[in-house]
Amino acid sequence: MRRLILAAASVAALAVAGPASAQSPIVIKFSHVVAANTPKGAAAEKFRELAEKYTDGKVKVEIYPNSTLYKDKEELEALQLGAVQMLAPSNSKFGPIGVREFEVFDLPYILPDLKTLRKVTDGPLGTRLLKLLDSKGMTGLAYWDNGFKQMSANKKLLEPADYKGLKFRIQSSKVLEAQFRALGAIPQVMAFSDVYQALQTGVVDGQENTWSNIYTQKMHEVQKYITTTNHGYIGYVVVVNKKFWDGLPADIRDELTRAMKEATEFGNSASAQDNEEALEAVKKTGKSEILSLTPEQDEAMRKAMMPVYKEVASRVGQPLIDEFLKETGRSPMN
Ligand code: LMR
């Protein structure tokens, strides 16, 4: 695969370095792993529309959804090598390239709602986190929402004991690994594109994801129960290859920055609604039973996951966790 990515990267490099002509627009290949009708898919489409409009067609954005070009791990390599120019991986996927700080967003119950999230991403902490990506050959442009995660399996998940011994698919985040271990479950890192089949064939017993991802990947067809837990958050960092970005004519970069800002506002104002609609759509299929927790069960889940904060403190950084909690002004226990 790496050889393929490298070959694609050299073609892309030639395209960027070649003589500019009025006929050849600057191409931004934007690869992502979810369906087009998701918060990320819709924001990417909005960015495409605005970027092409604001640059008078001097920029062409090609979107490759649903892992059609690259899967999770490969897409980050492809971006670093210049085979694609733009991605929006979830916060949970930056650990393997050496940026562990984004895993702070994975801490259980760290965000009570999207309004609180905005305080972090729109504030100095959010800006500082984006800066960490510079040393990895990428520039962080924006934070895009998906929403809050729910738990699913073929057995009812109502209290911590129900998780014991079950295998759960996780994204490549050590915080998520610690979260499932805290519940006595067995976490297994897996690319997003492989989840449906893994659930169907029993390679894993369960998973956590947003309503939008559950519905668009049809996970509800292969999971008997989904529990509304809202125990964690999935959001994205829009990243662009740094060399490509820095090499753009300043006026083009300005227009793309404008397009990104507006696409972000558009996407983030629609994400909650998207997830609501996906929940309704899952309900309508009648394929999964949707469970909710009593206040006591909710409290027991929070309590069971609290040790994760201590466990990952040295990895994610205690000062960062403290600063994050200060920004949210909330305790994860309520
Ligand atoms: C996942 O891997 O579950 C998600 O990060 C997929 C996505 O991009 O929303």
Side-chain angles (χ1 to χ4, degrees), residues 32-34 38 40 72 75 88-93 146 149 169-172 190-193 195 207-210 212-213 217 219 234-236:
H32 69 79
V33 298
V34 293
T38 56
K40 176 159 59 182
D72 289 322
E75 70 171 18
S90 77
N91 289 306
S92 325
K93 290 178 184 164
N146 188 324
K149 290 183 286 187
R169 176 268 171 170
I170 57 165
Q171 306 178 73
S172 55
M190 188 180 288
F192 183 64
S193 53
V195 181
Q207 66 82 43
E208 54 167 10
N209 227 307
T210 62
S212 162
N213 280 346
Q217 298 298 315
M219 294 181 203
I234 292 189
Y236 310 108

Side-chain angles (χ1 to χ4, degrees), residues 111-118 148 330:
L111 287 163
D113 51 41
L114 294 177
K115 209 168 130 222
T116 308
L117 163 77
R118 230 47 99 217
F148 290 92
R330 291 283 295 260

Side-chain angles (χ1 to χ4, degrees), residues 89-192:
S90 77
N91 289 306
S92 325
K93 290 178 184 164
F94 289 89
I97 61 156
V99 187
R100 303 159 166 190
E101 288 82 350
F102 286 98
E103 289 179 11
V104 71
F105 289 93
D106 290 332
L107 279 161
Y109 301 102
I110 196 152
L111 287 163
D113 51 41
L114 294 177
K115 209 168 130 222
T116 308
L117 163 77
R118 230 47 99 217
K119 284 201 215 163
V120 179
T121 52
D122 293 352
L125 179 53
T127 309
R128 237 177 44 234
L129 286 173
L130 291 185
K131 272 294 192 205
L132 297 174
L133 296 164
D134 286 3
S135 66
K136 302 295 169 191
M138 45 186 91
T139 301
L141 294 181
Y143 289 98
W144 284 359
D145 283 345
N146 188 324
F148 290 92
K149 290 183 286 187
Q150 322 302 338
M151 296 282 201
S152 75
N154 284 325
K155 79 179 255 203
K156 293 189 180 183
L157 300 170
L158 295 172
E159 39 192 67
D162 298 330
Y163 290 78
K164 206 168 164 38
L166 295 189
K167 270 195 228 138
F168 279 83
R169 176 268 171 170
I170 57 165
Q171 306 178 73
S172 55
S173 155
K174 296 285 178 204
V175 173
L176 299 178
E177 191 179 314
Q179 171 192 276
F180 279 104
R181 290 212 188 282
L183 291 169
I186 305 153
Q188 195 165 320
V189 175
M190 188 180 288
F192 183 64

Side-chain angles (χ1 to χ4, degrees), residues 32-328:
H32 69 79
V33 298
V34 293
N37 57 335
T38 56
K40 176 159 59 182
E45 183 51 38
K46 190 60 155 183
F47 172 70
R48 186 194 64 72
E49 178 196 319
L50 296 175
E52 295 182 357
K53 180 169 148 200
Y54 293 161
T55 62
D56 280 328
K58 289 193 201 89
V59 169
K60 188 168 176 292
V61 181
E62 293 173 1
I63 302 174
Y64 299 90
N66 252 327
S67 310
T68 41
L69 209 50
Y70 298 112
K71 290 161 70 158
D72 289 322
K73 191 167 155 284
E74 299 153 7
E75 70 171 18
L76 275 153
E77 275 176 33
L79 184 87
Q80 287 179 310
L81 292 167
V84 291
Q85 286 68 43
M86 200 174 273
L87 309 171
S90 77
N91 289 306
S92 325
K93 290 178 184 164
F94 289 89
I97 61 156
V99 187
R100 303 159 166 190
E101 288 82 350
F102 286 98
E103 289 179 11
V104 71
F105 289 93
D106 290 332
L107 279 161
Y109 301 102
I110 196 152
L111 287 163
D113 51 41
L114 294 177
K115 209 168 130 222
T116 308
L117 163 77
R118 230 47 99 217
K119 284 201 215 163
V120 179
T121 52
D122 293 352
L125 179 53
T127 309
R128 237 177 44 234
L129 286 173
L130 291 185
K131 272 294 192 205
L132 297 174
L133 296 164
D134 286 3
S135 66
K136 302 295 169 191
M138 45 186 91
T139 301
L141 294 181
Y143 289 98
W144 284 359
D145 283 345
N146 188 324
F148 290 92
K149 290 183 286 187
Q150 322 302 338
M151 296 282 201
S152 75
N154 284 325
K155 79 179 255 203
K156 293 189 180 183
L157 300 170
L158 295 172
E159 39 192 67
D162 298 330
Y163 290 78
K164 206 168 164 38
L166 295 189
K167 270 195 228 138
F168 279 83
R169 176 268 171 170
I170 57 165
Q171 306 178 73
S172 55
S173 155
K174 296 285 178 204
V175 173
L176 299 178
E177 191 179 314
Q179 171 192 276
F180 279 104
R181 290 212 188 282
L183 291 169
I186 305 153
Q188 195 165 320
V189 175
M190 188 180 288
F192 183 64
S193 53
D194 298 339
V195 181
Y196 176 89
Q197 210 187 359
L199 292 170
Q200 190 184 36
T201 55
V203 168
V204 290
D205 302 301
Q207 66 82 43
E208 54 167 10
N209 227 307
T210 62
W211 288 115
S212 162
N213 280 346
I214 289 171
Y215 178 63
T216 52
Q217 298 298 315
K218 300 187 168 59
M219 294 181 203
H220 57 285
E221 292 183 358
V222 285
Q223 295 278 266
K224 288 203 183 102
Y225 302 102
I226 307 174
T227 311
T228 307
T229 48
N230 292 315
H231 63 282
Y233 167 76
I234 292 189
Y236 310 108
V237 187
V238 184
V239 284
V240 64
N241 178 288
K242 188 169 185 325
K243 217 162 152 191
F244 168 81
W245 187 247
D246 292 347
L248 289 171
D251 58 331
I252 297 273
R253 202 168 42 236
D254 285 352
E255 292 306 337
L256 293 179
T257 304
R258 179 175 158 217
M260 181 55 67
K261 188 165 179 290
E262 289 176 28
T264 301
E265 279 158 15
F266 168 85
N268 288 356
S269 64
S271 62
Q273 177 74 17
D274 272 11
N275 275 296
E276 274 300 312
E277 284 170 14
L279 163 60
E280 288 312 313
V282 170
K283 274 188 193 160
K284 230 182 190 163
T285 67
K287 299 219 163 159
S288 272
E289 189 179 334
I290 296 168
L291 310 167
S292 38
L293 301 180
T294 64
E296 292 74 28
Q297 288 166 335
D298 178 65
E299 198 187 331
M301 287 295 291
R302 287 173 193 264
K303 224 168 161 183
M305 293 194 214
M306 279 314 105
V308 175
Y309 280 73
K310 269 226 169 74
E311 211 173 299
V312 302
S314 62
R315 174 179 173 84
V316 177
Q318 188 63 50
L320 170 60
I321 298 174
D322 291 343
E323 191 180 346
F324 199 105
L325 288 172
K326 201 165 150 225
E327 288 284 343
T328 68

